[in-house]
């Protein structure tokens, strides 16, 4: 069960690559690795919290009012995360700006609450939240890295905003340029990068399916046919 | 009976509303002080960039006025007064360049009593990354080119980018952004010069640690 959830969250049913949920913050903030990581972790925290809470209360809430209740829970968690980020990672809070409250509108969160957490016990639901959150974070980081590298030639620029003053030296400069590759940094770069990532995932899936199919044919050939007459 | 289920649902909803609001209230209360500190710290750090701390000894971010002047921008702006031993030392003036490439550029400038610029910094902007964002100190030190300059009406045309015959560099591929910044700094300096006495002597009237520009 847990293994299945891990595979689903990180790959097979990845909220960003397969379900295509929460694209608005995904495309908007992924101009750098750190911005992507920050928003991804915030989203993951909200997902774990909301999934766990929804799972705990699933027997008390009647179907008629479940959606408003879910919305209240999610909104509460987002507000709490926002306040905590405002207090403890102020610089990152300023950089992510409007996109923290917008986690509320990330359909991945209410989608998991409705489709999974409201039908499953607490440990599995919390784990599903964690894996879906990590899957989302993973895509944000990869896309952020792709755009930061192509656009500015750096990686992990601004790490101190998330990890504190000591992290300034984490910045990796791959190349320096006078004229950054604007397309990668501006919003169109996010769409192109996202499309590229989905394409790569589809190619890998197809390769794997072909492999699986090939080994299946072998077994079919070997399968014994029982004569009935 | 339907009424019963409506009552029950209503009660459950009320319960959740109370609990979630309660949790938010507790978190808000627990983080409030730290958030205020962070804001004040950030504000003070910005103020210290435009007015060197050695030039004043008062509580700079508490000694401020809010003023509505068209030279500074459409919205009311904060002005902080730096004083040394009770004497007027410098002003930190917030202002807006309304004609940036992508909308408003919010800035702050430190101006000494003799009209000399102590420093100019960007507070917020939406200029194109890689082109117009050279007005950020983390990208380029272009902003330092204002330091030590003062505005003189006879020399007004010096307060332009080089392309227009002035003394300030434009950026490769981006002239609109520096042009907007230079123009707004010049307007601000002219305004400060004309109203200096009044700006220093109006009683402090802005709320302490007011989050100016914090919430958009």
């Amino acid at each position: 069960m847990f293994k299945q959830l891990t595979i689903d969250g990180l790959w097979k049913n990845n909220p960003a690559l397969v379900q295509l949920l929460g694209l608005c913050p995904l495309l908007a903030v992924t101009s750098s690795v750190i911005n992507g990581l920050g928003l991804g972790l915030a989203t993951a925290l909200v997902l774990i919290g909301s999934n766990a809470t929804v799972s705990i209360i699933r027997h008390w809430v009647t179907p008629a009012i479940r959606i408003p209740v879910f919305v209240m829970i999610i909104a509460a968690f987002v507000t709490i995360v926002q306040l905590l980020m405002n207090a403890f990672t102020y610089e990152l809070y300023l950089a992510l700006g409007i996109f923290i409250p917008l986690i509320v509108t990330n359909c991945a969160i209410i989608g998991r609450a409705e489709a999974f957490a409201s039908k499953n016990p607490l440990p599995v639901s919390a784990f599903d939240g964690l894996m879906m959150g990590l899957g989302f974070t993973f895509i944000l980081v990869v896309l952020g890295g792709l755009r930061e590298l192509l656009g500015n030639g750096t990686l992990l620029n601004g790490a101190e905003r998330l990890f504190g003053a000591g992290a300034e030296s984490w910045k990796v400069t791959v190349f320096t340029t006078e004229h950054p590759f604007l397309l990668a940094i501006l919003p169109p770069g996010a769409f192109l990068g996202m499309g590229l990532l989905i394409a790569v995932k589809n190619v890998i899936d197809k390769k794997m399916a072909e492999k699986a199919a090939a080994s299946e044919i072998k077994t079919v050939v070997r399968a014994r046919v029982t004569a009935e007459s | 009976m339907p009424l019963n289920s409506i009552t029950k649902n209503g009660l459950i909803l009320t319960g959740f509303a109370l609990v979630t609001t309660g949790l938010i209230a507790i978190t808000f209360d627990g983080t409030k002080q730290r958030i205020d500190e962070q804001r004040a710290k950030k504000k003070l750090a910005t103020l210290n960039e435009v007015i060197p701390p050695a030039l004043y000894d008062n509580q700079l971010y508490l000694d401020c006025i809010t003023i509505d002047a068209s030279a500074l921008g459409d919205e009311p702006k904060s002005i902080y007064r730096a004083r040394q031993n009770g004497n007027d030392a410098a002003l930190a003036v917030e202002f807006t360049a309304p004609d940036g490439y992508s909308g408003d550029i919010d800035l702050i400038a430190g101006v000494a009593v003799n009209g000399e610029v102590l420093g100019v910094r960007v507070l917020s902007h939406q200029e194109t990354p890689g082109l117009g964002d050279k007005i950020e100190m983390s990208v380029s030190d272009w902003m330092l080119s204002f330091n030590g300059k003062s505005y003189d009406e006879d020399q007004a045309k010096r307060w332009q980018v080089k392309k227009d015959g002035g003394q300030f560099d434009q950026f490769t591929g981006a002239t609109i952004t520096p042009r907007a910044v230079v123009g707004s700094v010049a307007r601000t300096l002219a305004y400060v010069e004309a109203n200096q006495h009044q700006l220093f002597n109006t009683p402090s009237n802005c709320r302490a640690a007011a989050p100016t520009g914090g919430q958009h």
Side-chain angles (χ1 to χ4, degrees), chain A:
Chain A
M1 185 72 179
F2 285 99
K3 195 180 159 206
Q4 190 57 40
L5 285 178
T6 312
I7 298 172
D8 270 355
L10 293 183
W11 188 260
K12 225 178 105 193
N13 200 16
N14 186 299
L17 278 189
V18 181
Q19 303 177 58
L20 296 180
L21 294 176
L23 285 190
C24 153
L26 184 126
L27 297 172
V29 304
T30 51
S31 55
S32 78
V33 175
I34 292 297
N35 283 0
L37 186 63
L39 190 83
L41 292 180
T43 310
L45 269 182
V46 173
L47 253 173
I48 297 169
S50 68
N51 260 12
T53 319
V54 165
S55 170
I56 293 171
I57 53 122
R58 70 187 189 280
H59 297 305
W60 305 340
V61 177
T62 49
I65 54 162
R66 69 180 194 290
I67 297 295
V69 168
F70 293 169
V71 169
M72 265 195 278
I73 292 172
I74 295 166
F77 270 108
V78 170
T79 313
I80 289 172
V81 166
Q82 184 190 2
L83 284 169
L84 291 177
M85 289 184 76
N86 194 342
F88 295 101
T89 55
Y90 190 63
E91 292 285 321
L92 189 71
Y93 171 80
L94 292 182
L96 294 180
I98 182 71
F99 295 101
I100 305 170
L102 273 185
I103 296 174
V104 170
T105 66
N106 189 331
C107 327
I109 296 171
I110 199 158
R112 290 326 285 175
E114 165 76 5
F116 194 89
S118 64
K119 298 173 190 125
N120 288 285
L122 174 61
V124 207
S125 298
F127 191 76
D128 178 73
L130 174 69
M131 281 308 149
M132 284 291 161
L134 286 182
F136 190 65
T137 309
F138 170 61
I139 299 306
L140 280 170
V141 169
V142 172
L143 194 54
L146 194 71
R147 292 175 64 192
E148 193 183 337
L149 185 65
L150 285 177
N152 283 332
T154 61
L155 281 173
L156 288 169
N157 190 12
E160 72 276 6
R161 290 199 308 236
L162 189 57
F163 297 102
E168 268 162 60
S169 54
W170 296 5
K171 177 178 165 180
V172 182
T173 308
V174 181
F175 58 91
T176 45
T177 165
E178 258 297 288
H179 302 285
F181 182 39
L182 277 186
L183 183 67
I185 309 173
L186 294 178
F191 280 97
L192 295 174
M194 188 67 195
L196 213 66
L197 287 184
I198 296 175
V200 168
K201 183 189 178 291
N202 286 346
V203 168
I204 297 177
D205 278 349
K206 203 177 160 202
K207 284 260 160 67
M208 277 161 64
E210 272 168 11
K211 235 181 214 168
S215 57
E216 209 161 89
I217 290 168
K218 271 184 208 155
T219 35
V220 170
V221 173
R222 282 185 199 163
R224 201 172 46 178
V225 183
T226 36
E228 285 222 314
S229 54

Side-chain angles (χ1 to χ4, degrees), chain A residues 57 60-62 64-65 68-69 72-73 75-76 79-80 83-84 86-88 90-91 93-94 179-180 182 185-186, chain B residues 8-10 12-13 16-17 20-21 23-24 27-28 31 34-35 38-39 42 128-131 134 172 214-216:
Chain A
I57 53 122
W60 305 340
V61 177
T62 49
I65 54 162
V69 168
M72 265 195 278
I73 292 172
T79 313
I80 289 172
L83 284 169
L84 291 177
N86 194 342
F88 295 101
Y90 190 63
E91 292 285 321
Y93 171 80
L94 292 182
H179 302 285
L182 277 186
I185 309 173
L186 294 178
Chain B
K8 193 182 155 208
N9 284 347
I12 296 178
L13 271 181
F16 273 104
T20 47
T21 318
L23 282 176
I24 294 175
T27 319
F28 177 77
T31 51
R34 213 188 137 92
I35 291 175
Q38 294 270 28
R39 276 208 190 118
K42 173 90 179 167
T128 319
L131 292 174
K134 292 195 178 72
T172 323
Q215 299 282 330
H216 281 289

